[in-house]
Amino acid sequence: AQILQYMRVAPADTQINDPVSLRKALEYVYAGCPWINIKNVMRTFRLGTYPTWRARAMFLNQIVASENALVSEIDWKQLAFLPGEVNEFGEVINRAKARPRRLEPGDEICLGLDGGKSDDATALVAVRVSDRYFETIHIWERPEVLDPEEKWQVSRPEVDGYVQNAMAKYKVAAFFSDVEFWETYVDQWSQQFRGTLRIKAGPESYVGWDMRGRLKESTFANERLRQAVEDHAILHSGDPILKRHALNCEIRLNSFGQSFGKRG
């Protein structure tokens, strides 16, 4: 004889910090298990007895990322602003009723550029100051199909064009860019936009944020970002490319705390 067991999985939009959302999910998962004390399970979540990823796997039957992942796919999906999405209960998910879905001209934003050269991707991302909504301006990646004899490099003039357009289209309060491989452009942008940027990226540059010499500050900023993701304090556009890069990050410990880097 064979015994087939059906395992219910909690909806992906379950918010473990919201008692109503968590209870509803637990009642769904354990609908056929009257011996489970849901109050005790909720108390376990509240006390933080287990890491978030482990608690979701143990009690909500959700497939989550490992402990060394920067963010889990579930947490990332919950932050995507996708009006009209329907969860497992047939309910329309609408987490940001009063917020515009996309960036609009004139919005006050901060820009971030992580510039690569050939193998690494180059990404220009914006975050709206008012509600911490993240949107990809553009991401450049090495083409998957490429002649082995051909050497690809990101088009720097094209990246500069996107920067110039973003600066003209939005009210940019701050623009932080990593420096390596981009020294000339960072210096140019710093001089060009020093009259409009309200926040300097560093003591010697309005734009340059040199990751090589600011490990402590970068680590603290990374920890705040990770906590904001876990607390659902930010939103993003649902860009699949940005998602792939975010889920490919893993935690890297250093003397100052938890930083991160790409897998592999």
Side-chain angles (χ1 to χ4, degrees), residues 103-152:
L103 290 180
E104 298 178 346
D107 280 351
E108 185 176 26
I109 66 169
C110 293
L111 281 176
L113 174 69
D114 185 9
K117 185 177 181 181
S118 54
D119 292 330
D120 286 342
T122 292
L124 181 64
V125 179
V127 56
R128 187 162 46 215
V129 174
S130 62
D131 56 8
R132 292 197 267 188
Y133 162 76
F134 285 76
E135 184 170 309
T136 302
I137 302 297
H138 199 76
I139 296 179
W140 294 262
E141 297 180 306
R142 183 178 184 273
E144 293 185 5
V145 180
L146 192 67
D147 188 323
E149 301 298 324
E150 184 179 354
K151 294 182 179 180
W152 178 86

Side-chain angles (χ1 to χ4, degrees), residues 41-253:
V41 178
M42 292 185 66
R43 183 171 181 271
T44 299
F45 274 94
R46 187 173 66 254
L47 295 177
T49 307
Y50 302 99
T52 300
W53 70 274
R54 188 181 296 277
R56 284 185 177 276
M58 291 176 61
F59 302 112
L60 299 177
N61 296 331
Q62 293 176 327
I63 300 176
V64 293
S66 62
E67 189 171 12
N68 69 334
L70 178 67
V71 298
S72 72
E73 184 170 2
I74 291 175
D75 281 330
W76 190 256
K77 180 179 180 181
Q78 289 184 8
L79 300 175
F81 184 29
L82 301 172
E85 183 182 358
V86 177
N87 65 17
E88 284 83 342
F89 295 118
E91 301 168 332
V92 175
I93 303 171
N94 192 347
R95 292 175 292 278
K97 297 179 180 178
R99 299 172 184 171
R101 185 176 190 273
R102 307 285 297 185
L103 290 180
E104 298 178 346
D107 280 351
E108 185 176 26
I109 66 169
C110 293
L111 281 176
L113 174 69
D114 185 9
K117 185 177 181 181
S118 54
D119 292 330
D120 286 342
T122 292
L124 181 64
V125 179
V127 56
R128 187 162 46 215
V129 174
S130 62
D131 56 8
R132 292 197 267 188
Y133 162 76
F134 285 76
E135 184 170 309
T136 302
I137 302 297
H138 199 76
I139 296 179
W140 294 262
E141 297 180 306
R142 183 178 184 273
E144 293 185 5
V145 180
L146 192 67
D147 188 323
E149 301 298 324
E150 184 179 354
K151 294 182 179 180
W152 178 86
Q153 287 190 2
V154 64
S155 171
R156 301 186 185 207
E158 182 178 331
V159 175
D160 179 52
Y162 273 85
V163 168
Q164 300 292 338
N165 182 66
M167 292 295 300
K169 187 175 182 179
Y170 306 108
K171 182 180 178 182
V172 183
F175 176 21
F176 287 19
S177 173
D178 194 9
V179 176
E180 188 174 14
F181 303 128
W182 290 81
E183 287 84 354
T184 300
Y185 279 95
V186 168
D187 289 343
Q188 171 189 313
W189 294 327
S190 186
Q191 290 298 320
Q192 181 181 358
F193 303 127
R194 63 185 303 162
T196 58
L197 297 173
R198 294 194 294 106
I199 301 172
K200 292 181 67 175
E204 300 179 358
S205 174
Y206 276 82
V207 175
W209 178 281
D210 197 336
M211 300 282 289
R212 295 166 296 186
R214 306 180 73 172
L215 180 60
K216 180 178 180 179
E217 294 170 273
S218 296
T219 299
F220 290 169
N222 293 338
E223 289 181 340
R224 290 194 296 272
L225 174 61
R226 187 184 186 211
Q227 191 61 52
V229 171
E230 291 185 359
D231 293 342
H232 299 166
I234 64 173
L235 292 167
H236 63 78
S237 63
D239 184 336
I241 300 178
L242 183 62
K243 172 187 175 181
R244 172 159 47 82
H245 284 280
L247 298 184
N248 193 47
C249 290
E250 64 180 10
I251 296 172
R252 302 277 178 82
L253 298 178

Side-chain angles (χ1 to χ4, degrees), residues 9-27:
V9 179
D13 66 313
T14 299
Q15 300 182 36
I16 62 174
N17 294 322
D18 179 352
V20 175
S21 177
L22 179 58
R23 173 176 286 278
K24 192 170 186 178
L26 290 170
E27 289 176 348

